[in-house]
Structure formats: C-alpha cells, structure tokens
Amino acid sequence: MADVMIAVMPFAGHVAPLAAVAAAFVEAGHDVRVYTGRAYADRFAALGAEPVPWSAAPDFDELDLAATFPALRGRKGPRQLLANVEHLFVGTGAAQGDDLVEAYEERPWDVIVADNLSLGTHFAAERTGTPSVTVSIVPLSIPTPELPPPILPLRPAAGPLGRLRDRILHAALALSTRGIRRAYDAQRAASGLPPTDAPLDAAWHSPDLVCASGVPQLEFPRSGWPVRVEFVGALAPTGSIRPKPPGWWAELPDDRPIVHVTQGTLNVHPDDLIRPAFAALGRQPVSVVATTGRADAPDLPFAAPPNAYVAGLVDYAALLPRTDAMITNGGWGGVLAALAHGIPLIVAGGDIDKPVIATRVAWAGAGIDLRTGRPAARSILRAWRRLSTDSGYRERAVAIGRELRAHDGPREVVEHTMALVERRRATRTDEPAT
C-alpha cells in the first residue's frame, strides 16, 4: 500500500475526474489525501480521502474568478486563455507548492498525482524528490514540431507550406507567451528552485508518467511522446454526479429523439448556446434537454419552446443512453461521456481549450465543429440536419465509444501509478550503499 497525495484544481470539471481517481485509490486500500479548494473538501472526504485545503494558495470561487484574480475580468477567447494561465494557474504555483511541501513534511507521501493544470504539484515533487503522475483531464498539450501548437484549434498540416505554417506558429506562440514564461520563472524562484532551460510546455506534465484521458483516436498522429504516456479512456464514469431527477423527467416522450444541450459548468451564460439551440430545434421533431450547468440556478431568463426541458444538472447515467445527439460547448468530460455512448456531437467551442476539443472531434469524424462559442440558430440547425442524415458521424462516434468503454480509467491510473512507485522502490533498493 502507498501514501498518495492527489492535487486537484478547484473547478467542477477538474474535480469530477479526479474524484473518480481518488475513489479508485481508496478502494484499492491506499492512504489518500487530496489537496484542493475548500468548496470541494467535503466531496473528497465522503470518498474516504483526507482533504488538504488551499491555505497559502488563494482559494477562489470558480464562478467568480475575477473576485480573486482581477486581471481576468472581461476576458474572452484567446485573451481569457492566456490570462487564466498566467494569473491563475501559473501565478498560484509557488503557493500551491508551499502548501504541499508543508503537508509532505507532516507526513511524507510515496507519490503525488495531480491534474495537469496543478503547477504546484510539479514544484512540490521537485522540492521533495518524489515521483509524480500527471492526470491529463483535457486533451494532451505536449507539443511537437510535427503538428501545430496544441493550444490552437488547427488540424495537422501537410506539405512544405503546412510545415512552414507550423514553424511560424510555434515561434509566434513563444513570443506571445513571454509574459507567462516570466511569471513561471518568478514562481520557480519563489519556490527556491533553480532556473531551468526546459520549455514552458514541460511545466504542465510529469517527467515520470502522464495518464491521459481519452483514446489515441482523438489525438492527431505523431511519431512519439517525449515522456511516458498511457491512455486511460474516460475518467469520470457516467453518473459520477447523481442529481435528483427533475420534475419533468417522467414526461419525456419515448417516441422522439432527445437532443441534449449543455454549456458545461464554466462560462454558462445561456444566450451563448442554449438560446440559439432552442431557436434552431424548437419546431423540430425532437425533445431538447438543456442543462444550465448550475444546480442552484436551473431556470432560464427566457422562455423555452414546448419541446424543451430544462434543469440545472441531469444524471447522465439516465440521460445519455436515451440521447440521440449532443450540442455542447466542448468540455472534455462531457465530450468523452457522450462518445462513450456513441453519441455524435455538435461542438460550439468558444474559449479556454474548447475550440481545440471541437477541432479534434471534427477531425475524428465524430461530430461537427461550429467554430464559435456563440453560434447562430441557423448554424445549429444545419449541423443537426447533417448529423441526422449522414450516418458517418454516428458510426465514428460508436467506434470511438467502443475504445473508450474498453478502459477503466480510474483503476488504470491506480495501476500505472503503483507500477511507477514499485519501479522507484526497486531503483532505490538496487542503489549501492555509500
């Protein structure tokens, strides 16, 4: 058995997959602590893990990030992505590391496991000399000269012009992220760590092991990875969040296809996607099930058409087996949940990593990329008609679903992590005494 520290950025989209991983470690008999925000401490305690709250690091409300990080106010699209990375994910790294090292000094862990955006984990692992595992809860963002920068919503290019495009984009990205690099170097210095010439991209994954959610079919082809990567399928099993059935659940017709519309749990203004989806499908022979992403705010500020049903959250274990298509903002967890059920997707990816996810879904042939987070109703209607008439989208979604269902993601993370721990133990045993 091992003493395991799990670090989770306090966002709903991060907590759901890492809660499944924490539960798998607990079920396997390991001692588990979880470093995360206070808003999620009870959830991990209910799993049998010991919460370690953010202390030196500034805890925050994920629904009001600007209250803690004023530089994020009014940001959208690429500007929001860069600001989030610099001020929230990088800017809290040293303080996260301090919290974790304090926990290590109280009780050393054997391994630290963290979501890929928990920068403090990498600082803590380096400071304590302990092995670490990155659990990638979003598509892998490990760059290669063979492909465009992974944070850009671009498909692989072909030919000399395509390779030239990618070289230019890699150089431009390096210039545009100089502020993030300076912030990262400052956080290393604040942690008492020496300067490094390693590329900034290396800061977001462990040099020991990366457990990647998803399957290779959703990755662009490349010749290899610079670190050990294990694909583990979906991490948050369908139904890991089990809200009560909404009052209208028994009224859902059995003789009409269900189209699920979701804006995830971040940037959930219903005008962006739910309103145009209602306008597009309100007169179509379907039932539209829309979720606002807020359990405490299940209502909309506008009228729903007669064929629509609205809730804050819905139990995916009950909904997805009945769903014909999903219209989504492109959150990775929801995309994988849909594909695991063979559901084709219409993706309106507007910010953060969502445009990249939309590009991958379309490239894999499992859905349609609307290329905006605020689509027009006519665009949604055209996309839905394409999904309804072209069987290729569903066939590809079904094929990817089979690959996803072949994995037990949380259990595989445990297995790969323990194999790493055993290799480290064996290496220490084999070292000659001095």
Side-chain angles (χ1 to χ4, degrees), residues 374-385:
R374 304 185 68 183
R378 61 182 179 275
S379 298
I380 295 175
L381 181 59
R382 284 198 299 265
W384 173 74
R385 285 173 172 164

Side-chain angles (χ1 to χ4, degrees), residues 57 128 144 150 200 231 275 285 302 344 367 378:
T128 60
T144 172
L200 182 62
F231 287 93
R275 185 191 285 271
F302 48 82
R378 61 182 179 275

Side-chain angles (χ1 to χ4, degrees), residues 176-251:
S176 65
T177 57
R178 285 179 298 179
I180 295 175
R181 179 72 207 208
R182 288 192 294 269
Y184 172 69
D185 291 341
Q187 291 294 303
R188 283 189 63 87
S191 298
L193 294 171
T196 176
D197 293 329
L200 182 62
D201 308 283
W204 303 107
H205 59 264
S206 165
D208 301 317
L209 172 65
V210 175
C211 292
S213 58
V215 289
Q217 289 83 348
L218 293 168
E219 292 288 334
F220 296 139
R222 57 193 292 164
S223 59
W225 302 96
V227 295
R228 183 175 185 138
V229 172
E230 300 285 354
F231 287 93
V232 298
L235 285 170
T238 299
S240 59
I241 298 176
R242 303 298 295 270
K244 294 180 180 179
W248 46 256
W249 182 256
E251 302 171 10

